[in-house]
Amino acid sequence: MPFYHPPFYSSALEQAIDRYPLTAGPETSLAVAIALMSQLQNSCPLVKTPVPSDRGAMTETSAPEKVRARCVFVVQNQQTITTGNLSDNPSRGLLIGILTPADLVRLIASGTIDSQHKVALHKIPISEVMSPVSVSLTESDDQDVFTALSLFRQHKIRYLPIVNQFRHLVGVLTRERIRQVLQPSNILKLRRVAELMTTPITAPHTASLLSITELMSEHQVSCVVITKNKELTMEKPKDDYTSIFHYSFHQPLGIITEYDIVQAQFLELNFKQTPGQKIMRTPLQFLQPSDSLWTAHKEMQQQQVQRLVVCGGRGELLGIITQTSLLRVLDPTEMYRVVKQLQQSVYQLQAEKVELLQSRNAKLEQQVRERTAKLHEQLQRDRLLTHISLRIHQSLNLEEILNASVDEVRQVLQADRVAILHLESSNYGIVVAESVAENGPSILGEILPDNIWQESASVIEQEIYAVPDIDQARLSAEKYAWFHQAQIKAYLIVPILQDGNLWGMMCVHQCSQSRQWQPSEVDLLLQLATQIAIAIQQAQLYQQVQNLNTDLERQVQERTAELQQKVHELQHLNVLKDEFLSTVSHELRTPLANIKMAIHMLRISPTLDRRQIYLEILETECTRETDLINALLDLQRLEAATCPIDLEPVNLELWLPTIIDPFYTRAHDRHQDLRVECDRHLPTISSNRASLGRILAELLNNACKYTANGGEIFLKVECKNGEGEQGEQRTNSRQASAVASEIQFTLSNQSSISIEELPRIFEKFYRVPNADPWKQGGTGLGLALVQKLVEQLQGKIEVESSNGWTNFIVTFPTNPLVTS
């Protein structure tokens, strides 16, 4: 008789199989079967009872760290198992049926089992009430977890028996064990509870066990949520009153599963008289609709349950999330949809970036237009001032300068009189220049005492002294009389300063009527006064105008240069976007194309050998697609710096061999010479094992990939102190390790990279041209990920290539600074 050799499954499927299921012979009584199921992970608040003995019943001890399937398989020709070694006991007899908690619920609801009339369950053989096994999975090398998931989803089953080629029972798969094994954190973190929660079947807290059992059987569900109706009185403010309304909802109190019904039947409770709240599971741990599916997965693992209740902000029941919902996310079609969603997110992110840049560009252009308008207005005013100044500066004679000034000012402001008062002393001033309208009174040459113009002394600080109507101003009688004699209704006075001292004042008079002086007029007069003050220094005035024009041109040039720079940046970002999207689309579509080709060839392949080849292609391309997605997600997480790194002590002497040893076999297969040299007594450093191992593995993988057959690969690990000296130069190697502040990894291999290509090898998706004559393939993300991981660990990486050798030098601090 040939020995039994169990097939080699993938690690995930192997770990998910329960190889110690509950089994029984066809003559085993229903009472014993119920007792067997009631002893599995009893979380019901009822008291445990020993299992009765019966001929044909058999129980097996399961691994304590795994949750066992809550069902009984009916087998023929069952052998007694004396050990837990599956290789010695490959099968448990021919599988003929299965008894599940759902079957018991259906029997109780239909009246076949009536706890009130004390039906003799020990007289009913399990073969009369068992269900036939409609779906099973034959063990073979070709099976994987996704095949099992497809069967669960297609046939809507809860237990999947694993049988051998003779249809003998080997084990069982459940959704819960698959979920515990896969741990799909990245995909589950992207989805929310609200997306996959379902509406549960509910029952009031006063409902009996029999009515709850009937609900389960009628709706074919595995659980019922026990609720209590709750009402809230709420106030909502209106415009002029407060509206009061009542809000009613179901508040979850507990949950009852098929397994709890089995427990109650095992204890022979009266289903009609026992309320459901007596055996319901409580307290419940609630989820929020905004929680991720990864949170739900961890809660299920922690509480060892298969379903969780989803509640709103007031505690109202919204839905329920089950392990079936979690496993639905791992469907290949769903995973492909997530990939497409991620790709769409990339497109949307790029569009948002372009829109943001366009918005900033439009805002900048608006600012430039506003500045240009102001500069244009200023330029027009400066041109007017320049015209006036040219007339003023046509002569070096002070009298001519002053007369030209008052003439120009009166014409520009359309005033009745413009005069310049020169302060001869602190006690009086003389009107030295005047321009007056035809038939208007003249004040040229008049000497004005200080009590007339002393109020204008504040002009030095306030820059202007304006009176729109002397009748409305509070003037002394002497001042009012003088203004009335000079026929002045309104006036405007600005100072003429020379070297910071008050030289005199320019006075603008309106004699016919009052006048409201405009800010632009005031501003123009102030500038003209300044021009008059420096009129004697014509050279300085000319230089000032030139400087003003130069400054205006420079500002325009700077704004133009800024706009050109923004345009160049937008063009560069657009090119980078196109390159990134093109590369990502190509790398994502290439494995999918190969997968489609392999699937097509599988359908038409006539021989088993060819099918095996195409299955290997499928596995390789799936792995390639998964690695690419994981690398993209890792790079995005590292670039966004959203996940802080956890540091832990790493004993290099014990840890390094676990990373390096697998590469000895790989190098040997290609006839390569892999040598490792380490300092004696390497220290224990503070780092992250996963990140550090990823860095060394990527570098060693590249070295093996790009080194020719028969080439050499050399890895050196050495201690460095803070001043750059090697730790081995200390008194002894143990002392060197104790004082070392840095660890340096130097990886050298016999291959060369041109100087032009070296700066680009850390770019995403970049691969050195003609560096892979063996066509081993790759995504071009390895070194980019290495660089980001090195930076996250506060290290540095350098690369150099010469004389046919390429050296990667990675240096880490032994105790990096802790960052928040």
Side-chain angles (χ1 to χ4, degrees):
M1 180 177 182
F3 289 101
Y4 173 76
H5 297 286
F8 177 75
Y9 295 103
S10 64
S11 59
L13 183 62
E14 174 68 23
Q15 296 176 23
I17 296 177
D18 179 5
R19 295 191 176 274
Y20 300 89
L22 293 176
T23 59
E27 71 280 2
T28 302
S29 68
L30 182 59
V32 173
I34 294 174
L36 287 175
M37 287 191 289
S38 68
Q39 298 304 305
L40 290 179
Q41 294 188 345
N42 186 8
S43 58
C44 180
L46 302 177
V47 181
K48 292 182 180 180
T49 306
V51 181
S53 60
D54 190 14
R55 185 178 61 86
M58 178 183 68
T59 62
E60 301 177 7
T61 303
S62 65
E65 72 275 5
K66 293 290 185 179
V67 177
R68 298 186 63 186
R70 298 171 179 175
C71 63
V72 176
F73 291 99
V74 183
V75 297
Q76 285 183 343
N77 303 324
Q78 174 175 250
Q79 299 178 357
T80 302
I81 294 179
T82 58
T83 67
N85 191 336
L86 293 177
S87 62
D88 297 335
N89 301 276
S91 65
R92 293 166 177 79
L94 180 65
L95 178 63
I96 61 174
I98 183 175
L99 181 67
T100 67
D103 297 329
L104 294 176
V105 170
R106 185 180 67 256
L107 293 173
I108 296 173
S110 63
T112 304
I113 299 177
D114 191 347
S115 60
Q116 187 175 5
H117 294 84
K118 306 296 182 181
V119 176
L121 301 182
H122 63 278
K123 296 182 179 181
I124 301 176
I126 193 174
S127 58
E128 293 184 5
V129 296
M130 69 180 183
S131 299
V133 178
S134 59
V135 181
S136 62
L137 182 64
T138 303
E139 59 176 351
S140 69
D141 297 340
D142 300 335
Q143 307 296 357
D144 57 15
V145 172
F146 292 103
T147 302
L149 289 175
S150 178
L151 292 175
F152 276 112
R153 182 180 64 260
Q154 180 179 358
H155 299 281
K156 298 181 180 180
I157 58 177
R158 300 177 186 173
Y159 307 96
L160 180 61
I162 307 299
V163 299
N164 60 13
Q165 56 183 344
F166 306 108
R167 199 167 172 75
H168 288 182
L169 180 67
V170 175
V172 62
L173 279 175
T174 62
R175 292 188 180 97
E176 185 175 11
R177 292 178 69 93
I178 293 177
R179 177 177 55 82
Q180 290 179 342
V181 169
L182 289 183
Q183 300 282 340
S185 61
N186 288 330
I187 296 179
L188 294 182
K189 288 178 181 177
L190 296 175
R191 306 294 297 274
R192 301 292 134 193
V193 169
E195 300 178 35
L196 296 179
M197 69 179 183
T198 58
T199 302
I201 301 300
T202 61
H205 64 285
T206 57
S208 65
L209 277 180
L210 181 59
S211 63
I212 294 172
T213 305
E214 292 172 348
L215 275 177
M216 288 185 181
S217 177
E218 178 184 356
H219 296 280
Q220 295 183 357
V221 295
S222 62
C223 69
V224 172
V225 179
I226 307 300
T227 63
K228 179 179 181 181
N229 193 47
K230 185 175 182 180
E231 293 186 358
L232 293 177
T233 301
M234 305 183 67
E235 297 181 358
K236 186 175 182 180
K238 298 291 185 180
D239 295 337
D240 53 354
Y241 66 95
T242 300
S243 176
I244 300 177
F245 62 95
H246 300 281
Y247 178 61
S248 178
F249 59 88
H250 291 292
Q251 181 182 18
L253 301 179
I255 190 170
I256 295 179
T257 66
E258 294 172 336
Y259 186 66
D260 299 326
I261 300 298
V262 174
Q263 294 266 349
Q265 179 61 43
F266 173 68
L267 296 177
E268 298 182 353
L269 297 181
N270 191 325
F271 274 60
K272 289 186 177 180
Q273 298 180 1
T274 304
Q277 62 180 348
K278 182 177 180 181
I279 69 167
M280 69 180 180
R281 304 188 183 191
T282 186
L284 295 176
Q285 296 293 330
F286 301 132
L287 291 174
Q288 297 292 327
S290 59
D291 291 339
S292 68
L293 294 182
W294 178 245
T295 302
H297 169 72
K298 292 192 294 184
E299 285 290 335
M300 287 184 184
Q301 279 193 321
Q302 183 178 358
Q303 302 177 34
Q304 290 296 316
V305 296
Q306 301 179 10
R307 55 194 64 80
L308 292 171
V309 176
V310 184
C311 290
R314 300 184 181 93
E316 67 273 21
L317 177 63
L318 298 180
I320 188 171
I321 196 80
T322 65
Q323 62 180 356
T324 304
S325 304
L326 298 182
L327 290 178
R328 192 183 311 157
V329 179
L330 302 179
D331 181 76
T333 304
E334 183 69 15
M335 294 174 68
Y336 177 75
R337 191 191 68 79
V338 172
V339 172
K340 297 294 291 183
Q341 182 179 1
L342 288 175
Q343 188 176 17
Q344 184 64 28
S345 299
V346 173
Y347 295 153
Q348 182 178 359
L349 180 61
Q350 294 297 330
E352 290 176 355
K353 288 182 178 179
V354 172
E355 182 179 358
L356 177 61
L357 290 175
Q358 291 176 346
S359 174
R360 291 182 177 178
N361 188 33
K363 185 176 180 181
L364 182 59
E365 289 178 352
Q366 179 65 24
Q367 292 177 353
V368 170
R369 285 193 294 268
E370 293 176 356
R371 296 284 181 85
T372 303
K374 292 181 179 179
L375 290 175
H376 182 71
E377 181 182 353
Q378 178 69 27
L379 184 59
Q380 293 295 332
R381 189 167 54 191
D382 290 341
R383 287 176 179 174
L384 177 60
L385 290 174
T386 303
H387 173 69
I388 297 175
S389 299
L390 288 176
R391 289 202 58 192
I392 294 174
H393 300 155
Q394 287 177 354
S395 175
L396 295 177
N397 185 282
L398 181 58
E399 182 178 356
E400 292 179 359
I401 292 174
L402 296 180
N403 289 332
S405 300
V406 294
D407 287 340
E408 292 291 343
V409 171
R410 193 176 71 84
Q411 291 179 12
V412 172
L413 297 182
Q414 296 295 312
D416 296 330
R417 181 193 295 120
V418 176
I420 293 179
L421 176 67
H422 176 57
L423 302 181
E424 297 290 342
S425 68
S426 59
N427 297 324
Y428 66 94
I430 301 175
V431 179
V432 296
E434 179 190 47
S435 177
V436 63
E438 188 177 357
N439 299 324
S442 176
I443 60 172
L444 182 62
E446 287 193 15
I447 300 175
L448 303 180
D450 58 354
N451 59 357
I452 299 298
W453 50 264
Q454 63 182 356
E455 290 184 0
S456 301
S458 60
V459 165
I460 300 177
E461 297 179 358
Q462 300 179 4
E463 296 185 352
I464 186 173
Y465 189 78
V467 175
D469 191 349
I470 63 172
D471 294 332
Q472 302 298 327
R474 297 178 182 180
L475 301 176
S476 63
E478 184 178 4
K479 294 177 183 178
Y480 182 81
W482 187 87
F483 286 132
H484 183 71
Q485 180 183 359
Q487 299 181 8
I488 299 174
K489 297 294 185 179
Y491 62 90
L492 174 64
I493 300 175
V494 295
I496 299 176
L497 301 176
Q498 193 174 59
D499 296 332
N501 299 319
L502 184 61
W503 179 90
M505 288 170 283
M506 178 178 288
C507 307
V508 181
H509 299 157
Q510 197 68 27
C511 301
S512 58
Q513 59 185 359
S514 61
R515 179 172 177 173
Q516 189 69 37
W517 307 103
Q518 299 300 320
S520 58
E521 298 172 339
V522 175
D523 186 57
L524 179 60
L525 195 61
L526 286 172
Q527 295 187 52
L528 288 174
T530 302
Q531 294 295 326
I532 293 171
I534 59 174
I536 303 173
Q537 304 171 356
Q538 295 190 29
Q540 296 180 3
L541 177 61
Y542 177 78
Q543 185 64 38
Q544 185 178 8
V545 174
Q546 289 295 100
N547 290 341
L548 179 60
N549 291 333
T550 303
D551 185 61
L552 291 176
E553 293 177 358
R554 180 183 57 80
Q555 291 183 16
V556 172
Q557 292 176 356
E558 289 179 355
R559 296 296 185 269
T560 304
E562 290 178 1
L563 285 176
Q564 293 176 350
Q565 180 65 25
K566 293 298 181 182
V567 171
H568 292 161
E569 291 178 0
L570 285 174
Q571 293 174 347
H572 181 64
L573 287 176
N574 190 44
V575 172
L576 291 180
K577 178 204 70 176
D578 293 340
E579 291 180 354
F580 177 76
L581 293 180
S582 175
T583 305
V584 170
S585 300
H586 175 74
E587 292 296 337
L588 288 174
R589 290 174 180 172
T590 299
L592 292 177
N594 294 336
I595 290 174
K596 290 181 180 179
M597 180 275 293
I599 293 175
H600 174 72
M601 297 304 296
L602 275 174
R603 291 175 177 172
I604 65 176
S605 178
T607 63
L608 186 60
D609 293 339
R610 299 298 297 177
R611 292 180 182 178
Q612 182 63 32
I613 293 175
Y614 297 134
L615 285 174
E616 292 176 357
I617 294 175
L618 276 175
E619 182 179 3
T620 300
E621 295 301 329
C622 286
T623 302
R624 179 181 174 185
E625 187 83 2
T626 303
D627 292 342
L628 176 59
I629 295 174
N630 289 336
L632 283 172
L633 293 175
D634 290 341
L635 275 177
Q636 181 182 11
R637 172 180 58 82
L638 291 172
E639 290 176 350
T642 57
C643 183
I645 190 171
D646 296 326
L647 300 180
E648 55 186 324
V650 179
N651 189 329
L652 293 178
E653 291 187 356
L654 300 178
W655 178 78
L656 275 177
T658 63
I659 302 298
I660 301 173
D661 286 350
F663 289 93
Y664 282 112
T665 303
R666 180 173 178 179
H668 181 266
D669 293 340
R670 293 191 58 187
H671 307 287
Q672 295 169 341
D673 184 14
L674 173 60
R675 294 182 293 115
V676 178
E677 178 181 334
C678 299
D679 285 353
R680 297 181 59 192
H681 305 293
L682 289 175
T684 297
I685 66 173
S686 180
S687 185
N688 183 274
R689 294 176 184 267
S691 298
L692 187 58
R694 184 72 176 272
I695 292 169
L696 293 179
E698 288 289 349
L699 293 177
L700 285 169
N701 180 61
N702 276 358
C704 293
K705 180 186 295 185
Y706 297 112
T707 301
N709 293 346
E712 296 184 4
I713 303 173
F714 179 64
L715 174 63
K716 184 176 182 181
V717 184
E718 55 186 337
C719 302
K720 298 280 188 176
N721 58 23
E723 300 176 354
E725 298 177 355
Q726 294 190 8
E728 62 185 6
Q729 296 176 355
R730 301 284 181 173
T731 304
N732 53 64
S733 57
R734 185 177 297 276
Q735 179 184 0
S737 299
V739 301
S741 61
E742 292 180 346
I743 294 295
Q744 186 176 93
F745 299 87
T746 303
L747 182 63
S748 304
N749 67 301
Q750 280 187 298
S751 65
S752 61
I753 303 176
S754 64
I755 299 178
E756 294 78 10
E757 303 295 338
L758 278 178
R760 301 194 59 190
I761 62 174
F762 293 106
E763 295 180 8
K764 291 185 291 187
F765 298 106
Y766 181 76
R767 302 185 66 196
V768 178
N770 303 321
D772 186 12
W774 307 278
K775 305 298 181 182
Q776 302 175 83
T779 63
L781 293 175
L783 290 180
L785 188 60
V786 166
Q787 186 183 47
K788 294 297 182 182
L789 290 173
V790 170
E791 293 174 357
Q792 189 182 40
L793 293 177
Q794 303 179 24
K796 61 180 180 179
I797 183 170
E798 299 173 333
V799 59
E800 58 184 23
S801 182
S802 62
N803 300 326
W805 284 83
T806 298
N807 303 317
F808 284 88
I809 304 171
V810 185
T811 306
F812 295 105
T814 57
N815 292 290
L817 298 177
V818 178
T819 57
S820 57

